[in-house]
Amino acid sequence: MSITGRVSAPPDSAPVLSSRRRMLVLGICCMSLFIVGLDNTIVNIALPAIRHDLNASVSGLQWIIDAYTVVLASLLMLAGSTGDRFGRRRTFQTGLVLFTLGSLMCSLAPGLGWLIAARALQAVGGSMLNPVAMSIITNTFTEPRERARAIGVWGSVVGVSMALGPLVGGSLVESAGWQAIFWINIPVGLAAFVLCALFVPESRAPRARRMDPVGQLLVIVVLTTVTYAFIEAPAAGWGSPRTLACFAVAALALACLVPYELRRAEPLIDLRFFRSVPFAGATVIAVCALAALGGFLFLNTLYLQDVLGLSALHAGLYTLPMAGLTVVCAPLAGRIVGSAGPRVPLVVAGTGLTLSGLVLTGLSADMPLWRLMVAYVLFGLGFGMVNAPITNTAVSGMPRARAGVAAAVASTSRQIGQVLGVAVIGSLVTSAVSGPFVTGFPVASRIGWWIVAGTGLVILLLGILTTTGWARDSAARTAARLAPTAEGTAYTS
């Protein structure tokens, strides 16, 4: 089906694809999200094997995770505006090529430095996928209820892919080595590239936002210096000049970023979005949820493989209750959001994550298996319920031309959360370890589990606050302010 002509009009004048074509577009977008989400977590289960083969330190392992997430978080907003300017399908396909190439390079990396660099290349490609795909979905599904369901499916894929990472990764590491965790991305990336060329119509904003190189640079400086400070602090010292200088540079960059963005007519980050209580709440919830997941997976991998001595496959199997509950709950959450709104999934999510963290605050080398499984079930329930309401809340009520930008903010928040989860929780726990790692880690990890419980409590409280009538009114007022400056979407064949 060929779609031609430019549309700069209200949402109801947008070209309508057939139902089958819309489902294909959704499926292609979900394929890209699946490999990006899977890659976020599949690497965790391979960390002990990578450490053994490449002689990496704990901080080196943190960089393997955070080199990817820092670059991804830094470039998501830029990728969204690039898609608006140069074409969403073109940007999406470029991202698929870079992500697939980066995955191949990761599998061939001869040393730690090469692996970290290849992970950064992966992230450059990954940054072009999620926000652009969300914009494609938003402009493909024009009926509000159908769009909410499509976004619910999209959000559920986030949870499913991230939950399956440890299980799939454990199987691959055990059978073919840690390099295999990157091979899985290659056929999926190539298939998505071909299907995108065949079925996804090109689209772009009639008037793309201007680039914001200063804002982009400041975002990179903030994320990089904060991450570096936290990861390297255990070795350099929390009060060392290097650590304090990194925190000072991050604070200065942030202090410059906010007023600079407020003065720009077309900022990289439109801070007016945050006048919407649901949007601001969804952003904080995304940070908390992914910080909990990042910390959970990092600590859990070290506990299962280094403390309990399990193989990668057995460690992955241990997380099966978490993965199973997430797989079941993620699409269920999407359906609930589409029919009844986000409050119930967010309350369940916050409760599950809080209780899971509390159970694990008593972690020890001889913790009963049933207690560990209870914690995993609660975490899977909580994380499975949280992603669909985040995505839906971020884009609901926004003008369609702003949906890609709003989705990019939500995606950026997720990545920032994972960066902080690995960097902050990992470093605090590493600093607290005393004596041999096997005996000292379980006790030291308790500070991390308290942080996980705290993030769950924040999600619970915000889930209630952001779904009140007062919050919905703030979203409506924000959308009204944004609508006069929002543009329609241009489609070409």
Side-chain angles (χ1 to χ4, degrees):
M1 180 177 178
S2 177
I3 303 174
T4 58
R6 287 191 168 272
V7 178
S8 181
D12 58 8
S13 67
V16 178
L17 301 177
S18 68
S19 177
R20 178 175 175 272
R21 181 87 174 265
R22 292 198 300 273
M23 290 300 105
L24 283 170
V25 170
L26 178 60
I28 294 165
C29 292
C30 286
M31 286 174 67
S32 72
L33 179 63
F34 184 82
I35 56 175
V36 171
L38 189 71
D39 199 78
N40 265 331
T41 58
I42 197 172
V43 176
N44 280 275
I45 205 71
L47 291 179
I50 293 174
R51 178 168 63 178
H52 179 268
D53 282 2
L54 302 184
N55 193 30
S57 62
V58 173
S59 64
L61 299 182
Q62 288 174 281
W63 276 119
I64 292 171
I65 303 296
D66 276 352
Y68 179 86
T69 48
V70 166
V71 173
L72 195 65
S74 298
L75 299 181
L76 281 169
M77 299 299 300
L78 175 64
S81 60
T82 300
D84 289 343
R85 179 177 295 272
F86 298 108
R88 297 183 179 108
R89 182 177 66 185
R90 181 181 300 173
T91 303
F92 188 73
Q93 288 182 295
T94 301
L96 286 169
V97 170
L98 292 177
F99 187 84
T100 304
L101 178 62
S103 298
L104 176 62
M105 292 176 62
C106 285
S107 70
L108 301 174
L112 180 63
W114 287 99
L115 178 58
I116 292 173
R119 290 281 286 163
L121 177 61
Q122 263 191 313
V124 174
S127 71
M128 299 180 185
L129 299 180
N130 289 5
V132 177
M134 172 53 69
S135 188
I136 291 172
I137 289 173
T138 304
N139 287 283
T140 298
F141 293 86
T142 56
E143 195 276 319
R145 183 175 292 273
E146 186 182 43
R147 185 191 304 167
R149 289 175 179 169
I151 293 172
V153 172
W154 165 266
S156 70
V157 171
V158 176
V160 171
S161 61
M162 289 186 167
L164 287 178
L167 184 61
V168 175
S171 302
L172 292 173
V173 171
E174 192 77 7
S175 60
W178 62 264
Q179 294 85 351
I181 65 175
F182 300 108
W183 297 342
I184 193 173
N185 298 328
I186 298 173
V188 179
L190 293 175
F193 180 88
V194 173
L195 292 172
C196 182
L198 294 174
F199 299 110
V200 178
E202 182 62 284
S203 66
R204 58 178 61 87
R207 189 183 67 82
R209 292 182 305 135
R210 296 175 183 175
M211 296 295 183
D212 183 5
V214 175
Q216 183 65 64
L217 179 61
L218 290 172
V219 168
I220 293 173
V221 170
V222 170
L223 292 177
T224 303
T225 51
V226 166
T227 304
Y228 184 87
F230 274 111
I231 289 179
E232 299 299 329
W238 290 94
S240 68
R242 183 172 65 180
T243 302
L244 295 178
C246 285
F247 282 127
V249 170
L252 179 62
L254 182 62
C256 293
L257 175 65
V258 173
Y260 177 80
E261 293 296 283
L262 286 172
R263 288 196 302 269
R264 280 185 61 86
E266 295 179 328
L268 178 73
I269 305 172
D270 195 336
L271 298 179
R272 292 179 299 171
F273 285 2
F274 292 92
R275 294 175 180 172
S276 165
V277 174
F279 181 87
T283 302
V284 176
I285 289 170
V287 171
C288 290
L290 271 296
L293 180 69
F296 177 91
L297 292 177
F298 191 79
L299 297 181
N300 187 62
T301 296
L302 296 179
Y303 173 73
L304 293 179
Q305 296 191 54
D306 288 353
V307 176
L308 299 187
L310 299 178
S311 67
L313 176 59
H314 287 153
L317 290 174
Y318 262 54
T319 65
L320 187 58
M322 184 197 79
L325 262 293
T326 301
V327 169
V328 170
C329 293
L332 177 61
R335 293 182 66 87
I336 295 173
V337 170
S339 60
R343 171 172 285 193
V344 171
L346 288 175
V347 169
V348 173
T351 302
L353 294 177
T354 301
L355 293 177
S356 176
L358 291 176
V359 171
L360 291 170
T361 56
L363 192 70
S364 64
D366 56 355
M367 173 180 275
L369 179 60
W370 69 265
R371 188 173 175 184
L372 198 60
M373 292 300 106
V374 167
Y376 290 172
V377 166
L378 289 169
F379 195 94
L381 173 66
F383 189 72
M385 283 286 179
V386 79
N387 277 288
I390 288 173
T391 308
N392 183 270
T393 303
V395 301
S396 293
M398 295 292 175
R400 283 177 56 218
R402 297 299 186 93
V405 180
V409 174
S411 296
T412 300
S413 301
R414 285 189 174 97
Q415 302 309 321
I416 291 173
Q418 191 159 6
V419 168
L420 294 176
V422 174
V424 176
I425 294 177
S427 294
L428 290 176
V429 171
T430 301
S431 299
V433 173
S434 60
F437 187 84
V438 172
T439 57
F441 177 81
V443 175
S445 71
R446 293 174 184 175
I447 185 174
W449 299 123
W450 278 111
I451 294 174
V452 170
T455 61
L457 184 59
V458 171
I459 293 170
L460 172 61
L461 295 176
L462 286 177
I464 297 171
L465 176 65
T466 59
T467 53
T468 60
W470 165 74
R472 289 191 293 271
D473 289 343
S474 73
R477 289 192 298 271
T478 301
R481 292 190 187 101
L482 294 172
T485 61
E487 298 286 347
T489 300
Y491 283 84
T492 62
S493 58

